[in-house]
Amino acid sequence: MDFSLVICTYNPDVRILERCLQAVQSLDTTGLSTEILLVDNNSATPLSTLPCVQAFAKACPQMELLLVKQQGVQYARMAAIERATGTHIVYFDYDNEPQPGYLQALQVLTAAYPQVAAWGPGRVEVDFIDGVPEAISGLAYGAFQQRHETDVRFASEPDWQSCYPFGTGLCTKAFLLKQYAAQAQQGVYTLEGRNGNKLSSGEDTQMVLLCIKEGYAAGVAPSLALTHIIPGNRANARYLERLLYGTFVCYELSLLQVFPEQRSKLEAKLIAPARFARQAWVRWVKWRLQPKQQKKFDLIHFLSVNAGTYAALDKPLPGVVRRIIDRLAVA
């Protein structure tokens, strides 16, 4: 089996899921053997009852529907990893619409660059299907991973690089993901990924970093292209605030669990509690006196990056910082 295609979803917007399934159905699989694992992470309305899923199952007999009742993207992905039989596993979130040539491009890349174990799309277009407020559009396009690479780029540094792929459209050597799953079950990796309304992630970051740890590289290529479909309930300032916090607060723990030897480097980055509290309070006051959205985003970014360092080193947050995070309701 060349590719195991995994689509994980929880309470999907049917408009978006239907576009994803149609795109996957339209993938050019000439000369390739594939399987499709559609994972229902305990949705309120079972995926098996949706007409678009029923039609997809008829059109794609290689599709298997998995029900994973334990809530969290990590658990959905783990179930798919264990079930997958492909040499490579490709993750398409239900809001991803890959271009028809996606798998053919992956076949070329994996043959040409055997040292690269994780590939992601170099071209990502964001489609705000219900629109996006102009005031936050700049941040929104970046937050939802819009990308326009012109060259193949990859690296093998034990820290996040700009060319490393995100979870959207991620293709990874299956044996490495099975290794990740086994270590997660042993408690080596503890990040659960997005769970219900919680927007912290980290498990896809760890999957990429594990490839680096095992001596491989990770990268992106412009021949891999997809559309990231975003509905109105995510194209707003409130969602972006929570996404911003959830994205950055988990990174240091993601890194430290894969590379424990980075602990001393992380300790050197730790801001002393009194200084952290003082800087957080000053930024909070400045935003309250001049409540511009960009100032609020900057405050949340500062809090999440430094709170993530505290969490990774298992240190309690200063009380002032904890109260500010609670007031912002982003955790």
Side-chain angles (χ1 to χ4, degrees):
M1 187 70 66
D2 294 309
F3 296 104
S4 295
L5 312 183
V6 176
I7 307 168
C8 296
T9 185
Y10 165 73
N11 289 344
D13 181 324
V14 176
R15 300 174 299 167
I16 299 173
L17 177 61
E18 187 167 16
R19 281 180 58 174
C20 173
L21 297 180
Q22 288 175 349
V24 170
Q25 183 179 335
S26 298
L27 288 170
D28 181 1
T29 58
T30 304
L32 303 175
S33 56
T34 63
E35 64 181 358
I36 303 169
L37 303 174
L38 178 59
V39 186
D40 182 352
N41 198 192
N42 206 27
S43 299
T45 301
L47 294 191
S48 60
T49 67
L50 299 178
C52 65
V53 173
Q54 294 170 352
F56 182 71
K58 291 181 180 179
C60 301
Q62 73 274 35
M63 188 273 281
E64 180 178 352
L65 181 61
L66 304 179
L67 175 61
V68 178
K69 292 188 175 182
Q70 190 167 8
Q71 196 65 59
V73 173
Q74 185 201 35
Y75 302 112
R77 286 182 167 179
M78 298 281 273
I81 290 171
E82 292 177 1
R83 174 65 186 81
T85 61
T87 302
H88 292 86
I89 296 176
V90 185
Y91 285 116
F92 292 126
D93 292 333
Y94 95 92
D95 57 7
N96 295 169
E97 190 176 48
Q99 292 297 305
Y102 204 91
L103 297 183
Q104 295 295 335
L106 279 174
Q107 183 77 337
V108 171
L109 290 166
T110 55
Y113 303 96
Q115 74 276 31
V116 180
W119 285 106
R123 290 191 294 131
V124 179
E125 299 294 340
V126 181
D127 181 6
F128 293 104
I129 58 174
D130 300 315
V132 60
E134 185 176 351
I136 63 167
S137 62
L139 178 65
Y141 279 103
F144 292 113
Q145 305 170 12
Q146 180 164 282
R147 199 164 197 161
H148 296 113
E149 301 286 349
T150 57
D151 300 300
V152 173
R153 299 174 59 219
F154 55 85
S156 55
E157 297 297 321
D159 199 353
W160 196 261
Q161 304 296 303
S162 63
C163 64
Y164 286 173
F166 300 110
T168 302
L170 178 65
C171 172
T172 312
K173 291 182 183 292
F175 81 91
L176 289 171
L177 288 189
K178 290 183 183 293
Q179 179 178 328
Y180 168 83
Q183 292 181 353
Q185 290 175 348
Q186 295 167 10
V188 176
Y189 305 127
T190 61
L191 293 166
E192 297 182 354
R194 295 178 186 175
N195 186 337
N197 292 322
K198 290 177 62 178
L199 297 183
S200 59
S201 55
E203 82 291 345
D204 47 1
T205 299
Q206 289 187 319
M207 291 175 184
V208 172
L209 292 176
L210 179 61
C211 295
I212 307 304
K213 181 178 182 178
E214 294 300 316
Y216 292 91
V220 293
S223 58
L224 299 174
L226 57 74
T227 299
H228 199 183
I229 312 165
I230 307 300
N233 63 357
R234 285 190 280 159
N236 57 76
R238 182 72 193 114
Y239 185 91
L240 288 178
E241 291 165 6
R242 295 171 52 237
L243 179 62
L244 181 65
Y245 185 87
T247 298
F248 285 97
V249 77
C250 63
Y251 173 69
E252 300 293 4
L253 181 58
S254 298
L255 178 68
L256 195 59
Q257 288 185 346
V258 180
F259 297 105
E261 64 273 18
Q262 296 272 9
R263 188 175 188 87
S264 59
K265 181 179 177 181
L266 191 57
E267 288 173 341
K269 293 171 58 177
L270 186 72
I271 299 179
R275 183 183 173 196
F276 188 13
R278 183 172 61 255
Q279 291 189 4
W281 176 251
V282 169
R283 290 168 183 263
W284 165 266
V285 171
K286 286 183 177 180
W287 167 64
R288 297 298 292 172
L289 291 175
Q290 193 178 22
K292 292 185 177 180
Q293 187 63 59
Q294 188 58 53
K295 281 185 175 291
K296 191 175 184 182
F297 285 146
D298 292 342
L299 167 64
I300 292 169
H301 181 261
F302 170 80
L303 292 170
S304 61
V305 169
N306 289 288
T309 303
Y310 270 71
L313 296 174
D314 198 25
K315 294 183 177 295
L317 287 174
V320 170
V321 174
R322 181 73 268 167
R323 287 192 291 274
I324 291 174
I325 293 173
D326 289 343
R327 289 287 298 276
L328 290 169
V330 290

